[in-house]
Amino acid sequence: MYRQRLTLPALTLTALTLLPLAVACGNEKGGSTGSSSVGADTEPSVTGVHWTVDSVTVNGATYQAPDGAHVEIAKNGRATGNYGCNSFHSTAAFQGDRITLSRTLSTEMACEKRPMEFEKTLARALAAGPLTAETGRGKLTLTTAKGDRVHLTEEKDAPLYGTKWTVNSLVDGDVAQSLPAAADGKAWLTFTKKGADKESADKEGADNEVGAVSGSLGCNHVSAKATVRGSHITLGAPRTTRQMCSGSLMTTEKSLLKLFDSTVSYRIDHRSITLTSENGEGIGAIADR
């Protein structure tokens, strides 16, 4: 089990490494956010998108990216991402169709069963800016001056409905704790939509999306009514099976049951979702592919 501050990147910051990335070229002024001489064509089509890394081509050889490798660039010039194991953030500057990433900080973790050599290849390619950006049909290619290329695909947020959300953490305030090993991958929820609650609409002036939630608590199966309004979900009284399981599974189940028969807030960030009660307790989950 591990504890992770939600305000940090996706992986725990055990150490920070300042990568020797190229300094942004162009007309960057002191104190700017790094988005100097923003290209009229490149910046709007590249920023605000979750770009999943598909592969990296170096010296004519193409290396496939592991799951989780991605890049996101905000309009304020902040870039974040993951090399496949370690997370990073840096400053992005635009000039015409070129992007330069600089002042990059990365976590420094050795991840089991992860291609660490790919991480080094991707990090070097992103550090070789300025990178020429080409976009089209949901694809992005970043090309270095040497002709090496990073191939990426736009990936939208997972939908609330119809997605199998596998629970991977228990939340308490700004701290997330992983599930016990025995419960890993066994707890999940899926939301389905049935229609609009017109009675609530008449009372509150807005339609509520009425549906249901079903899944597993790690041991027993669960189902309940689920009404979505804005960024909140009202979960009805849970209906569960009555199977007895190991202590760690039952402990996880009790934590998840606290969310039912109440209203929780929810937030989707790409393929992750958090459900949080009024007292700050909740869960984190990821969308199954």
Side-chain angles (χ1 to χ4, degrees):
M1 295 173 64
Y2 70 94
R3 289 182 179 272
Q4 174 186 352
R5 290 281 174 182
L6 296 181
T7 54
L8 296 180
L11 295 174
T12 304
L13 283 171
T14 56
L16 289 177
T17 302
L18 184 60
L19 299 183
L21 299 192
V23 176
C25 62
N27 303 331
E28 185 172 2
K29 299 179 180 179
S32 72
T33 62
S35 297
S36 59
S37 298
V38 175
D41 296 326
T42 301
E43 190 271 341
S45 61
V46 171
T47 59
V49 177
H50 182 101
W51 295 106
T52 295
V53 179
D54 298 322
S55 61
V56 178
T57 300
V58 178
N59 296 327
T62 298
Y63 305 89
Q64 298 301 314
D67 290 341
H70 68 274
V71 177
E72 294 185 55
I73 304 175
K75 291 184 178 181
N76 64 2
R78 177 179 170 82
T80 59
N82 188 284
Y83 295 127
C85 169
N86 285 287
S87 300
F88 70 89
H89 63 269
S90 61
T91 297
F94 297 85
Q95 187 175 38
D97 62 352
R98 295 188 301 171
I99 303 172
T100 300
L101 300 181
S102 63
R103 297 188 286 277
T104 295
L105 293 174
S106 171
T107 57
E108 205 173 59
M109 298 181 66
C111 302
E112 295 182 2
K113 300 179 181 179
R114 292 281 187 167
M116 300 302 291
E117 194 60 37
F118 178 87
E119 290 219 345
K120 297 176 183 178
T121 301
L122 176 58
R124 283 193 294 264
L126 294 177
L131 306 169
T132 300
E134 297 181 29
T135 59
R137 298 185 178 181
K139 298 287 186 178
L140 168 65
T141 302
L142 301 175
T143 306
T144 70
K146 292 173 52 180
D148 297 335
R149 299 183 302 278
V150 181
H151 308 275
L152 309 98
T153 298
E154 178 182 1
E155 191 166 356
K156 300 184 183 300
D157 288 347
L160 172 65
Y161 297 108
T163 298
K164 182 180 179 181
W165 297 103
T166 299
V167 180
N168 62 353
S169 63
L170 300 177
V171 177
D172 187 0
D174 63 348
V175 176
Q177 178 177 301
S178 64
L179 300 185
D184 186 29
K186 295 182 179 179
W188 56 273
L189 298 172
T190 297
F191 294 89
T192 54
K193 180 168 60 174
K194 295 180 180 179
D197 185 347
K198 295 301 182 182
E199 181 178 351
S200 296
D202 293 339
K203 293 180 179 179
E204 301 183 31
D207 286 351
N208 290 341
E209 294 176 342
V210 178
V213 61
S214 61
S216 170
L217 299 170
C219 175
N220 285 286
H221 289 279
V222 65
S223 62
K225 181 179 178 181
T227 302
V228 179
R229 183 173 187 271
S231 60
H232 292 81
I233 305 175
T234 299
L235 301 173
R239 298 180 294 276
T240 68
T241 55
R242 299 302 179 100
Q243 182 178 349
M244 292 299 296
C245 298
S246 66
S248 59
L249 288 178
M250 296 306 294
T251 298
T252 300
E253 184 163 301
K254 290 177 182 178
S255 296
L256 297 180
L257 282 173
K258 292 179 181 178
L259 297 175
F260 289 85
D261 210 9
S262 68
T263 297
V264 299
S265 61
Y266 81 96
R267 179 176 180 271
I268 295 177
D269 182 7
H270 183 50
R271 301 193 66 81
S272 300
I273 189 173
T274 54
L275 302 178
T276 311
S277 63
E278 291 184 354
N279 65 5
E281 296 181 354
I283 62 169
I286 58 174
D288 279 14
R289 294 186 180 275

PDB file of all heavy atoms in Angstrom, residues 15-47:
ATOM      1  N   ALA A  15      11.914  11.813  -5.995  1.00  0.00           N
ATOM      2  CA  ALA A  15      13.085  12.636  -6.300  1.00  0.00           C
ATOM      3  C   ALA A  15      12.779  13.415  -7.549  1.00  0.00           C
ATOM      4  O   ALA A  15      11.971  13.005  -8.368  1.00  0.00           O
ATOM      5  CB  ALA A  15      14.316  11.755  -6.513  1.00  0.00           C
ATOM      6  N   LEU A  16      13.392  14.569  -7.695  1.00  0.00           N
ATOM      7  CA  LEU A  16      13.195  15.395  -8.870  1.00  0.00           C
ATOM      8  C   LEU A  16      14.492  15.496  -9.632  1.00  0.00           C
ATOM      9  O   LEU A  16      15.558  15.685  -9.045  1.00  0.00           O
ATOM     10  CB  LEU A  16      12.717  16.796  -8.466  1.00  0.00           C
ATOM     11  CG  LEU A  16      11.294  16.881  -7.931  1.00  0.00           C
ATOM     12  CD1 LEU A  16      11.002  18.317  -7.512  1.00  0.00           C
ATOM     13  CD2 LEU A  16      10.293  16.423  -8.964  1.00  0.00           C
ATOM     14  N   THR A  17      14.390  15.365 -10.952  1.00  0.00           N
ATOM     15  CA  THR A  17      15.552  15.491 -11.804  1.00  0.00           C
ATOM     16  C   THR A  17      15.301  16.599 -12.794  1.00  0.00           C
ATOM     17  O   THR A  17      14.286  16.601 -13.487  1.00  0.00           O
ATOM     18  CB  THR A  17      15.804  14.175 -12.574  1.00  0.00           C
ATOM     19  OG1 THR A  17      15.981  13.126 -11.636  1.00  0.00           O
ATOM     20  CG2 THR A  17      17.055  14.292 -13.436  1.00  0.00           C
ATOM     21  N   LEU A  18      16.199  17.532 -12.867  1.00  0.00           N
ATOM     22  CA  LEU A  18      16.084  18.604 -13.837  1.00  0.00           C
ATOM     23  C   LEU A  18      16.731  18.137 -15.116  1.00  0.00           C
ATOM     24  O   LEU A  18      17.943  17.946 -15.175  1.00  0.00           O
ATOM     25  CB  LEU A  18      16.802  19.856 -13.329  1.00  0.00           C
ATOM     26  CG  LEU A  18      16.690  21.100 -14.219  1.00  0.00           C
ATOM     27  CD1 LEU A  18      15.225  21.488 -14.381  1.00  0.00           C
ATOM     28  CD2 LEU A  18      17.476  22.252 -13.629  1.00  0.00           C
ATOM     29  N   LEU A  19      15.900  17.882 -16.136  1.00  0.00           N
ATOM     30  CA  LEU A  19      16.414  17.382 -17.399  1.00  0.00           C
ATOM     31  C   LEU A  19      17.029  18.516 -18.197  1.00  0.00           C
ATOM     32  O   LEU A  19      16.499  19.626 -18.214  1.00  0.00           O
ATOM     33  CB  LEU A  19      15.281  16.729 -18.211  1.00  0.00           C
ATOM     34  CG  LEU A  19      14.611  15.524 -17.555  1.00  0.00           C
ATOM     35  CD1 LEU A  19      13.572  14.943 -18.490  1.00  0.00           C
ATOM     36  CD2 LEU A  19      15.640  14.477 -17.181  1.00  0.00           C
ATOM     37  N   PRO A  20      18.120  18.251 -18.918  1.00  0.00           N
ATOM     38  CA  PRO A  20      18.793  19.306 -19.674  1.00  0.00           C
ATOM     39  C   PRO A  20      18.099  19.583 -20.982  1.00  0.00           C
ATOM     40  O   PRO A  20      18.624  19.304 -22.060  1.00  0.00           O
ATOM     41  CB  PRO A  20      20.191  18.700 -19.888  1.00  0.00           C
ATOM     42  CG  PRO A  20      19.955  17.232 -19.948  1.00  0.00           C
ATOM     43  CD  PRO A  20      18.831  16.961 -18.976  1.00  0.00           C
ATOM     44  N   LEU A  21      16.883  20.122 -20.919  1.00  0.00           N
ATOM     45  CA  LEU A  21      16.144  20.417 -22.122  1.00  0.00           C
ATOM     46  C   LEU A  21      16.584  21.745 -22.700  1.00  0.00           C
ATOM     47  O   LEU A  21      17.077  22.625 -22.003  1.00  0.00           O
ATOM     48  CB  LEU A  21      14.630  20.457 -21.822  1.00  0.00           C
ATOM     49  CG  LEU A  21      14.025  19.159 -21.297  1.00  0.00           C
ATOM     50  CD1 LEU A  21      12.517  19.266 -21.323  1.00  0.00           C
ATOM     51  CD2 LEU A  21      14.486  17.962 -22.087  1.00  0.00           C
ATOM     52  N   ALA A  22      16.338  21.883 -24.001  1.00  0.00           N
ATOM     53  CA  ALA A  22      16.733  23.112 -24.680  1.00  0.00           C
ATOM     54  C   ALA A  22      15.932  24.286 -24.156  1.00  0.00           C
ATOM     55  O   ALA A  22      14.754  24.171 -23.859  1.00  0.00           O
ATOM     56  CB  ALA A  22      16.511  22.955 -26.172  1.00  0.00           C
ATOM     57  N   VAL A  23      16.559  25.436 -24.039  1.00  0.00           N
ATOM     58  CA  VAL A  23      15.862  26.648 -23.620  1.00  0.00           C
ATOM     59  C   VAL A  23      15.014  27.148 -24.772  1.00  0.00           C
ATOM     60  O   VAL A  23      15.395  27.074 -25.932  1.00  0.00           O
ATOM     61  CB  VAL A  23      16.879  27.722 -23.211  1.00  0.00           C
ATOM     62  CG1 VAL A  23      16.178  29.013 -22.858  1.00  0.00           C
ATOM     63  CG2 VAL A  23      17.708  27.227 -22.030  1.00  0.00           C
ATOM     64  N   ALA A  24      13.822  27.636 -24.458  1.00  0.00           N
ATOM     65  CA  ALA A  24      12.895  28.053 -25.500  1.00  0.00           C
ATOM     66  C   ALA A  24      13.507  29.129 -26.373  1.00  0.00           C
ATOM     67  O   ALA A  24      14.096  30.085 -25.895  1.00  0.00           O
ATOM     68  CB  ALA A  24      11.608  28.563 -24.860  1.00  0.00           C
ATOM     69  N   CYS A  25      13.328  28.928 -27.686  1.00  0.00           N
ATOM     70  CA  CYS A  25      13.826  29.941 -28.606  1.00  0.00           C
ATOM     71  C   CYS A  25      12.722  30.945 -28.877  1.00  0.00           C
ATOM     72  O   CYS A  25      11.572  30.732 -28.543  1.00  0.00           O
ATOM     73  CB  CYS A  25      14.270  29.293 -29.909  1.00  0.00           C
ATOM     74  SG  CYS A  25      12.940  28.462 -30.778  1.00  0.00           S
ATOM     75  N   GLY A  26      13.062  32.047 -29.518  1.00  0.00           N
ATOM     76  CA  GLY A  26      12.030  33.023 -29.870  1.00  0.00           C
ATOM     77  C   GLY A  26      12.128  34.257 -29.015  1.00  0.00           C
ATOM     78  O   GLY A  26      13.192  34.611 -28.526  1.00  0.00           O
ATOM     79  N   ASN A  27      10.970  34.896 -28.798  1.00  0.00           N
ATOM     80  CA  ASN A  27      10.949  36.209 -28.159  1.00  0.00           C
ATOM     81  C   ASN A  27      10.527  36.147 -26.703  1.00  0.00           C
ATOM     82  O   ASN A  27       9.826  37.013 -26.223  1.00  0.00           O
ATOM     83  CB  ASN A  27       9.971  37.126 -28.923  1.00  0.00           C
ATOM     84  CG  ASN A  27      10.332  37.244 -30.379  1.00  0.00           C
ATOM     85  OD1 ASN A  27      11.494  37.131 -30.738  1.00  0.00           O
ATOM     86  ND2 ASN A  27       9.334  37.469 -31.216  1.00  0.00           N
ATOM     87  N   GLU A  28      10.881  35.071 -26.009  1.00  0.00           N
ATOM     88  CA  GLU A  28      10.425  34.936 -24.624  1.00  0.00           C
ATOM     89  C   GLU A  28      10.993  36.055 -23.767  1.00  0.00           C
ATOM     90  O   GLU A  28      12.176  36.353 -23.801  1.00  0.00           O
ATOM     91  CB  GLU A  28      10.868  33.585 -24.065  1.00  0.00           C
ATOM     92  CG  GLU A  28      10.323  33.340 -22.672  1.00  0.00           C
ATOM     93  CD  GLU A  28      10.615  31.935 -22.208  1.00  0.00           C
ATOM     94  OE1 GLU A  28      11.258  31.205 -22.962  1.00  0.00           O
ATOM     95  OE2 GLU A  28      10.204  31.606 -21.092  1.00  0.00           O
ATOM     96  N   LYS A  29      10.123  36.677 -22.978  1.00  0.00           N
ATOM     97  CA  LYS A  29      10.512  37.770 -22.098  1.00  0.00           C
ATOM     98  C   LYS A  29      10.619  37.271 -20.672  1.00  0.00           C
ATOM     99  O   LYS A  29       9.951  36.327 -20.277  1.00  0.00           O
ATOM    100  CB  LYS A  29       9.482  38.909 -22.182  1.00  0.00           C
ATOM    101  CG  LYS A  29       9.358  39.518 -23.578  1.00  0.00           C
ATOM    102  CD  LYS A  29       8.312  40.608 -23.585  1.00  0.00           C
ATOM    103  CE  LYS A  29       8.160  41.227 -24.976  1.00  0.00           C
ATOM    104  NZ  LYS A  29       7.132  42.275 -25.009  1.00  0.00           N
ATOM    105  N   GLY A  30      11.448  37.930 -19.898  1.00  0.00           N
ATOM    106  CA  GLY A  30      11.598  37.560 -18.502  1.00  0.00           C
ATOM    107  C   GLY A  30      10.278  37.667 -17.779  1.00  0.00           C
ATOM    108  O   GLY A  30       9.550  38.641 -17.943  1.00  0.00           O
ATOM    109  N   GLY A  31       9.971  36.614 -16.998  1.00  0.00           N
ATOM    110  CA  GLY A  31       8.738  36.614 -16.212  1.00  0.00           C
ATOM    111  C   GLY A  31       7.539  36.128 -16.976  1.00  0.00           C
ATOM    112  O   GLY A  31       6.439  36.106 -16.449  1.00  0.00           O
ATOM    113  N   SER A  32       7.706  35.726 -18.230  1.00  0.00           N
ATOM    114  CA  SER A  32       6.569  35.218 -18.996  1.00  0.00           C
ATOM    115  C   SER A  32       6.296  33.788 -18.606  1.00  0.00           C
ATOM    116  O   SER A  32       7.073  33.134 -17.941  1.00  0.00           O
ATOM    117  CB  SER A  32       6.860  35.297 -20.505  1.00  0.00           C
ATOM    118  OG  SER A  32       7.824  34.323 -20.853  1.00  0.00           O
ATOM    119  N   THR A  33       5.156  33.241 -19.066  1.00  0.00           N
ATOM    120  CA  THR A  33       4.803  31.869 -18.760  1.00  0.00           C
ATOM    121  C   THR A  33       5.497  30.901 -19.674  1.00  0.00           C
ATOM    122  O   THR A  33       5.391  29.697 -19.499  1.00  0.00           O
ATOM    123  CB  THR A  33       3.282  31.672 -18.927  1.00  0.00           C
ATOM    124  OG1 THR A  33       2.944  31.927 -20.296  1.00  0.00           O
ATOM    125  CG2 THR A  33       2.499  32.578 -18.015  1.00  0.00           C
ATOM    126  N   GLY A  34       6.193  31.352 -20.676  1.00  0.00           N
ATOM    127  CA  GLY A  34       6.870  30.464 -21.590  1.00  0.00           C
ATOM    128  C   GLY A  34       6.159  30.357 -22.921  1.00  0.00           C
ATOM    129  O   GLY A  34       6.670  29.751 -23.851  1.00  0.00           O
ATOM    130  N   SER A  35       4.964  30.901 -23.045  1.00  0.00           N
ATOM    131  CA  SER A  35       4.217  30.829 -24.292  1.00  0.00           C
ATOM    132  C   SER A  35       4.516  32.051 -25.145  1.00  0.00           C
ATOM    133  O   SER A  35       3.636  32.853 -25.446  1.00  0.00           O
ATOM    134  CB  SER A  35       2.712  30.739 -24.004  1.00  0.00           C
ATOM    135  OG  SER A  35       2.423  29.569 -23.303  1.00  0.00           O
ATOM    136  N   SER A  36       5.765  32.227 -25.534  1.00  0.00           N
ATOM    137  CA  SER A  36       6.137  33.397 -26.318  1.00  0.00           C
ATOM    138  C   SER A  36       5.932  33.149 -27.795  1.00  0.00           C
ATOM    139  O   SER A  36       6.100  32.043 -28.271  1.00  0.00           O
ATOM    140  CB  SER A  36       7.608  33.722 -26.053  1.00  0.00           C
ATOM    141  OG  SER A  36       8.426  32.622 -26.407  1.00  0.00           O
ATOM    142  N   SER A  37       5.578  34.208 -28.519  1.00  0.00           N
ATOM    143  CA  SER A  37       5.386  34.119 -29.964  1.00  0.00           C
ATOM    144  C   SER A  37       4.518  32.916 -30.315  1.00  0.00           C
ATOM    145  O   SER A  37       4.886  32.061 -31.101  1.00  0.00           O
ATOM    146  CB  SER A  37       6.739  34.028 -30.683  1.00  0.00           C
ATOM    147  OG  SER A  37       7.509  35.171 -30.446  1.00  0.00           O
ATOM    148  N   VAL A  38       3.371  32.818 -29.693  1.00  0.00           N
ATOM    149  CA  VAL A  38       2.509  31.668 -29.889  1.00  0.00           C
ATOM    150  C   VAL A  38       2.056  31.599 -31.330  1.00  0.00           C
ATOM    151  O   VAL A  38       1.530  32.559 -31.881  1.00  0.00           O
ATOM    152  CB  VAL A  38       1.284  31.741 -28.944  1.00  0.00           C
ATOM    153  CG1 VAL A  38       0.328  30.617 -29.236  1.00  0.00           C
ATOM    154  CG2 VAL A  38       1.746  31.681 -27.505  1.00  0.00           C
ATOM    155  N   GLY A  39       2.244  30.423 -31.951  1.00  0.00           N
ATOM    156  CA  GLY A  39       1.830  30.253 -33.344  1.00  0.00           C
ATOM    157  C   GLY A  39       0.328  30.248 -33.467  1.00  0.00           C
ATOM    158  O   GLY A  39      -0.379  29.591 -32.716  1.00  0.00           O
ATOM    159  N   ALA A  40      -0.197  30.956 -34.445  1.00  0.00           N
ATOM    160  CA  ALA A  40      -1.644  31.081 -34.610  1.00  0.00           C
ATOM    161  C   ALA A  40      -2.281  29.755 -34.964  1.00  0.00           C
ATOM    162  O   ALA A  40      -3.436  29.506 -34.659  1.00  0.00           O
ATOM    163  CB  ALA A  40      -1.954  32.115 -35.698  1.00  0.00           C
ATOM    164  N   ASP A  41      -1.531  28.865 -35.643  1.00  0.00           N
ATOM    165  CA  ASP A  41      -2.092  27.596 -36.066  1.00  0.00           C
ATOM    166  C   ASP A  41      -1.802  26.483 -35.063  1.00  0.00           C
ATOM    167  O   ASP A  41      -2.662  25.684 -34.734  1.00  0.00           O
ATOM    168  CB  ASP A  41      -1.530  27.192 -37.445  1.00  0.00           C
ATOM    169  CG  ASP A  41      -1.933  28.171 -38.536  1.00  0.00           C
ATOM    170  OD1 ASP A  41      -3.048  28.711 -38.456  1.00  0.00           O
ATOM    171  OD2 ASP A  41      -1.129  28.385 -39.448  1.00  0.00           O
ATOM    172  N   THR A  42      -0.568  26.425 -34.557  1.00  0.00           N
ATOM    173  CA  THR A  42      -0.166  25.304 -33.719  1.00  0.00           C
ATOM    174  C   THR A  42      -0.818  25.344 -32.342  1.00  0.00           C
ATOM    175  O   THR A  42      -1.391  24.367 -31.888  1.00  0.00           O
ATOM    176  CB  THR A  42       1.358  25.286 -33.549  1.00  0.00           C
ATOM    177  OG1 THR A  42       1.949  25.183 -34.846  1.00  0.00           O
ATOM    178  CG2 THR A  42       1.795  24.105 -32.707  1.00  0.00           C
ATOM    179  N   GLU A  43      -0.752  26.480 -31.674  1.00  0.00           N
ATOM    180  CA  GLU A  43      -1.166  26.550 -30.279  1.00  0.00           C
ATOM    181  C   GLU A  43      -2.610  26.122 -30.035  1.00  0.00           C
ATOM    182  O   GLU A  43      -2.859  25.287 -29.167  1.00  0.00           O
ATOM    183  CB  GLU A  43      -0.898  27.958 -29.747  1.00  0.00           C
ATOM    184  CG  GLU A  43      -1.066  28.113 -28.239  1.00  0.00           C
ATOM    185  CD  GLU A  43      -2.482  28.475 -27.873  1.00  0.00           C
ATOM    186  OE1 GLU A  43      -3.218  28.940 -28.750  1.00  0.00           O
ATOM    187  OE2 GLU A  43      -2.851  28.269 -26.709  1.00  0.00           O
ATOM    188  N   PRO A  44      -3.610  26.607 -30.800  1.00  0.00           N
ATOM    189  CA  PRO A  44      -4.978  26.210 -30.504  1.00  0.00           C
ATOM    190  C   PRO A  44      -5.234  24.727 -30.733  1.00  0.00           C
ATOM    191  O   PRO A  44      -6.053  24.119 -30.053  1.00  0.00           O
ATOM    192  CB  PRO A  44      -5.804  27.063 -31.479  1.00  0.00           C
ATOM    193  CG  PRO A  44      -4.916  28.196 -31.847  1.00  0.00           C
ATOM    194  CD  PRO A  44      -3.544  27.618 -31.852  1.00  0.00           C
ATOM    195  N   SER A  45      -4.557  24.089 -31.689  1.00  0.00           N
ATOM    196  CA  SER A  45      -4.825  22.695 -32.007  1.00  0.00           C
ATOM    197  C   SER A  45      -4.049  21.722 -31.137  1.00  0.00           C
ATOM    198  O   SER A  45      -4.362  20.542 -31.097  1.00  0.00           O
ATOM    199  CB  SER A  45      -4.488  22.421 -33.482  1.00  0.00           C
ATOM    200  OG  SER A  45      -3.121  22.667 -33.733  1.00  0.00           O
ATOM    201  N   VAL A  46      -3.016  22.189 -30.438  1.00  0.00           N
ATOM    202  CA  VAL A  46      -2.173  21.320 -29.634  1.00  0.00           C
ATOM    203  C   VAL A  46      -2.516  21.412 -28.154  1.00  0.00           C
ATOM    204  O   VAL A  46      -2.491  20.419 -27.438  1.00  0.00           O
ATOM    205  CB  VAL A  46      -0.681  21.666 -29.856  1.00  0.00           C
ATOM    206  CG1 VAL A  46       0.195  20.907 -28.866  1.00  0.00           C
ATOM    207  CG2 VAL A  46      -0.275  21.336 -31.282  1.00  0.00           C
ATOM    208  N   THR A  47      -2.854  22.598 -27.658  1.00  0.00           N
ATOM    209  CA  THR A  47      -3.090  22.784 -26.233  1.00  0.00           C
ATOM    210  C   THR A  47      -4.463  22.273 -25.820  1.00  0.00           C
ATOM    211  O   THR A  47      -5.391  22.158 -26.625  1.00  0.00           O
ATOM    212  CB  THR A  47      -2.974  24.267 -25.847  1.00  0.00           C
ATOM    213  OG1 THR A  47      -3.937  25.020 -26.600  1.00  0.00           O
ATOM    214  CG2 THR A  47      -1.586  24.793 -26.143  1.00  0.00           C
TER     215      THR A  47
END
